[in-house]
Amino acid sequence: MQKQAIFQSKLLPYVLVAPQLAVVLIFFYWPALQAVIQSFLLQDAFGLSSNFVWFDNYIELFKDPAYFASIIRTFFFSFAIAVSSLSFALLLAVMADKPLRGSTLYRTLLIWPYAVAPPVVGVLWIFMLHPSLGVLARYLRGAGIDWNPLLNGDQAAALIILAAAWKQISYNFLFFLAGLQAIPKSVFEAAAIDGARPMRRFWTVTFPLLSPTIFFLLVVNIVYAFFDTFGIIDTMTRGGPGTSTVTLVYKVYSDGLLGGNLGSSAAQSVILMVMVIVLTGIQFRFVERKVTY
Amino acid sequence: MVEEEGFRRYVAHIILWIGIAIVAFPVYIAIVASTQDNALIANGQMSLLPGGHFFEVYYQTIFVGTSGSTREPVYNMMLNSLVMALLIAVGKIAISIISAYGIVYFRFPFRMPIFWIIFITLMLPVEVRIYPTYKIVADLHMLDSYAGLALPLIASATATLLFRQFFMTVPDELLEASRIDGAGPLRFFWDTLLPLSRTNMAALFVILFILGWNQYLWPLLITTRDDMQTIQVGIRKMITTTDALTEWPVVMATAVLAMLPPVFVVVAMQKLFVRGLVETEK
């Protein structure tokens, strides 16, 4: 993968890459390295002194039931968000892929939540489901449910998952639609001629052909649930009640900023880094080869 | 085309409208709430139809702000968000396109190591290196500044890879032709490559603008002064006070205002947006 026609210049290429390199080295590599170093240090809360403690921060972390609970919670949230959002988006995309009048309008009306910021999503949903003034909470109480996400941890978790999945529908919808439109229509016609009914056509033809898109979206959704839900959690529950909505990223933030435990926070960052690298690796290895739009 | 009986078509229409209703409902509620009386909402008596306080609430939101923990008028927050989003979008495109040009159109020592150094940055979002990045920005005295808001978010390589991929598809003949015309590297970049990249730049701009406008954790950490806070940070501060004091109509009006620019960009530039999205994610 190299250009045949190129320019000869000794200095110019360095000048061209210099700004990017400078930004990346100062604001990416230097802090990433700092996070790794910090994770081996034990520092007092005022940052006055620090000792090199090898893997103590990590060992401490893995002995901590709260951290373990937060890992489980994050994976559960990711799974719940991805599955609910993906299945609903797939249903909508399959419908929008049909030759319907007004399909462009449908698409426009479905994609804009992508542009809504996570904290705004949080504000919208907490307002609707606020125990004392929420419009939807009124109906839930009317249905006999003792709804109070400010006190009930399970309800708070459900609220986060609902809001986070809502925001992600549009994104998944777009990619599913693109994936569906890339499948040649003749495949469906052949299946129809063979006598396959629509539901059967979906499970035997569409679904397998869409599997690279599904896998790609699964990875993207997990990364989204890990990181982009921070704004939603912070506006809706601030990790509470108790620690029932503290995800891994929220824990990095709260342990570091609120708890002043920088060593532990850094160790958590490093573990997160490794997780993201693995996820990105999977994405590249499996998806780059298969997904073609 | 596969047969589609009338009945199934109706079902599809109905499912799509249900989907749209689910997607639109929270925003409808926000708009309705932003036109109503605060006391009514605080009592849990909110109506599902718009109230009569539209001008009053939006005037207060935009020019005065809440009387709670953040007293900043929302127009100032929006201005901060706008500057930040533009800096991120324009800055990232600018440094990315020239570095991609350097890597694709020149052979020089350390070309591949430099490429890999840039490539690896794809992997980590700013969230995982948040404290050390904060410390560096603080050491550089860039807290509460637009540079501090934008630079760490510019430091990733998605755009560079995109431009690199695009440049690889530009036919070599173009370069040879402009060389015959006596053009040097800078002239070729400016007169030939840049005009060809216009659509890519526009698509990328749409995505990056939204990304920048919607940033939350980073501005939350590095802005301490109220007059530097972005709208995403401001809106959360509005609901930090105890519930009784939260001015919900103002909060909802702020939410509506915070949504307007990015949603407008997505709807208006739908084609470019979809294109940019699909390309960046790959």
Side-chain angles (χ1 to χ4, degrees):
Chain A
M1 282 258 283
Q2 285 204 329
K3 280 262 173 200
Q4 290 313 305
I6 50 159
F7 285 109
Q8 300 297 331
S9 172
K10 282 212 160 31
L11 189 64
L12 187 61
Y14 292 104
V15 176
L16 291 171
V17 295
Q20 172 111 51
L21 266 187
V23 172
V24 158
L25 289 176
I26 297 171
F27 295 103
F28 188 96
Y29 282 94
W30 184 236
L33 184 72
Q34 287 290 314
V36 174
I37 295 172
Q38 184 85 57
S39 74
F40 293 113
L41 297 177
L42 190 66
Q43 198 170 48
D44 67 86
F46 306 102
L48 296 176
S49 66
S50 55
N51 296 316
F52 192 77
V53 293
W54 287 105
F55 290 95
D56 280 7
N57 287 319
Y58 291 92
I59 295 166
E60 202 68 17
L61 214 49
F62 283 113
K63 279 198 288 196
D64 182 8
Y67 188 66
F68 189 69
S70 155
I71 293 179
I72 301 287
R73 192 179 301 122
T74 307
F75 277 96
F76 172 71
F77 278 19
S78 306
F79 181 76
I81 291 167
V83 168
S84 53
S85 174
L86 282 174
S87 45
F88 191 56
L90 181 58
L91 173 72
L92 292 176
V94 168
M95 296 302 146
D97 188 42
K98 291 176 194 277
L100 299 175
R101 207 176 309 148
S103 53
T104 336
L105 176 72
Y106 286 138
R107 191 166 99 165
T108 309
L109 289 176
L110 283 169
I111 64 169
W112 59 268
Y114 170 84
V116 181
V120 173
V121 172
V123 168
L124 292 182
W125 283 89
I126 195 74
F127 179 67
M128 286 196 302
L129 286 157
H130 190 283
S132 64
L133 46 88
V135 177
L136 289 183
R138 234 188 277 168
Y139 297 111
L140 284 174
R141 261 198 312 280
I145 299 167
D146 185 19
W147 176 259
N148 192 343
L150 303 182
L151 296 174
N152 183 323
D154 292 339
Q155 290 178 358
L159 194 53
I160 300 286
I161 290 167
L162 183 68
W166 176 83
K167 179 183 158 46
Q168 198 64 359
I169 291 171
S170 54
Y171 182 92
N172 295 334
F173 170 78
L174 265 183
F175 276 81
F176 274 138
L177 197 59
L180 284 170
Q181 285 171 350
I183 300 174
K185 292 288 175 264
S186 55
V187 181
F188 295 110
E189 282 161 24
I193 291 167
D194 286 347
R197 305 285 305 150
M199 271 314 260
R200 200 182 148 79
R201 282 208 296 269
F202 176 78
W203 288 113
T204 56
V205 181
T206 316
F207 200 78
L209 283 173
L210 214 54
S211 60
T213 310
I214 295 171
F215 188 75
F216 164 79
L217 285 177
L218 205 61
V219 176
V220 171
N221 278 270
I222 290 171
V223 174
Y224 159 81
F226 266 61
F227 299 104
D228 286 349
T229 49
F230 178 87
I232 295 178
I233 295 170
D234 199 40
T235 39
M236 287 179 103
T237 64
R238 247 155 266 165
T243 55
S244 56
T245 50
V246 174
T247 57
L248 289 170
V249 172
Y250 203 85
K251 202 164 157 52
V252 172
Y253 167 78
S254 61
D255 284 2
L257 188 84
L258 312 172
N261 192 345
L262 292 179
S264 172
S265 176
Q268 293 177 34
S269 292
V270 173
I271 294 170
L272 269 179
M273 286 186 205
V274 174
M275 285 184 183
V276 186
I277 289 170
V278 170
L279 277 174
T280 321
I282 293 173
Q283 189 172 326
F284 270 102
R285 212 177 134 70
F286 291 96
V287 181
E288 283 295 284
R289 265 185 296 155
K290 288 183 192 157
V291 185
T292 38
Y293 292 100
Chain B
M1 185 43 62
V2 180
E3 91 295 340
E4 283 290 348
E5 313 96 280
F7 173 70
R8 286 191 180 280
R9 231 176 255 213
Y10 280 120
V11 172
H13 280 290
I14 290 166
I15 292 176
L16 283 168
W17 279 110
I18 292 173
I20 290 165
I22 290 175
V23 151
F25 186 70
V27 178
Y28 173 76
I29 293 293
I31 294 170
V32 168
S34 69
T35 62
Q36 293 190 3
D37 181 53
N38 191 23
L40 204 69
I41 293 176
N43 290 334
Q45 305 287 310
M46 190 190 137
S47 146
L48 287 180
L49 294 172
H53 298 265
F54 178 85
F55 290 106
E56 191 186 316
V57 172
Y58 278 86
Y59 179 82
Q60 195 204 336
T61 308
I62 294 171
F63 298 106
V64 185
T66 63
S67 44
S69 57
T70 171
R71 290 150 199 269
E72 207 56 34
V74 168
Y75 85 85
N76 191 39
M77 300 179 192
M78 290 185 85
L79 214 61
N80 290 334
S81 289
L82 183 71
V83 172
M84 179 182 170
L86 287 176
L87 278 178
I88 290 173
V90 173
K92 202 157 172 157
I93 290 173
I95 65 170
S96 295
I97 198 166
I98 58 171
S99 63
Y101 180 57
I103 286 170
V104 173
Y105 281 95
F106 295 86
R107 295 286 141 73
F108 53 100
F110 305 114
R111 189 177 80 107
M112 282 325 274
I114 288 175
F115 172 72
W116 282 107
I117 287 174
I118 294 172
F119 181 83
I120 288 170
T121 60
L122 268 184
M123 298 211 175
L124 297 176
V126 72
E127 280 84 355
V128 299
R129 50 194 158 88
I130 198 97
Y131 284 112
T133 314
Y134 171 83
K135 194 163 178 306
I136 282 157
V137 169
D139 290 346
L140 294 171
H141 303 289
M142 290 204 285
L143 296 180
D144 286 317
S145 76
Y146 290 122
L149 277 170
L151 282 174
L153 297 168
I154 289 176
S156 90
T158 31
T160 313
L161 293 182
L162 232 60
F163 284 123
R164 177 180 170 270
Q165 255 167 0
F166 171 67
F167 290 164
M168 300 301 280
T169 67
V170 173
D172 287 348
E173 287 76 12
L174 276 177
L175 189 149
E176 276 148 18
S178 40
R179 197 180 271 152
I180 291 166
D181 289 346
L186 289 178
R187 179 136 225 126
F188 170 73
F189 177 71
W190 194 255
D191 285 351
T192 311
L193 216 49
L194 216 51
L196 282 176
S197 317
R198 250 193 321 234
T199 355
N200 288 54
M201 286 163 76
L204 208 55
F205 181 86
V206 173
I207 299 291
L208 292 174
F209 178 85
I210 295 167
L211 198 85
W213 180 274
N214 287 352
Q215 282 300 319
Y216 176 64
L217 180 54
W218 181 244
L220 177 71
L221 277 183
I222 79 141
T223 55
T224 54
R225 286 194 345 236
D226 272 359
D227 65 317
M228 276 303 291
Q229 81 198 348
T230 63
I231 191 161
Q232 317 295 352
V233 174
I235 196 171
R236 129 123 180 195
K237 284 197 185 157
M238 288 179 184
I239 55 169
T240 49
T241 43
T242 50
D243 291 331
L245 296 173
T246 303
E247 294 166 57
W248 284 105
V250 175
V251 175
M252 288 297 128
T254 310
V256 172
L257 291 170
M259 275 185 270
L260 278 181
V263 168
F264 174 78
V265 168
V266 163
V267 173
M269 314 256 182
Q270 218 185 114
K271 272 224 170 71
L272 283 173
F273 162 71
V274 174
R275 187 191 152 119
L277 197 65
V278 173
E279 278 175 356
T280 1
E281 289 302 336
K282 283 211 292 177

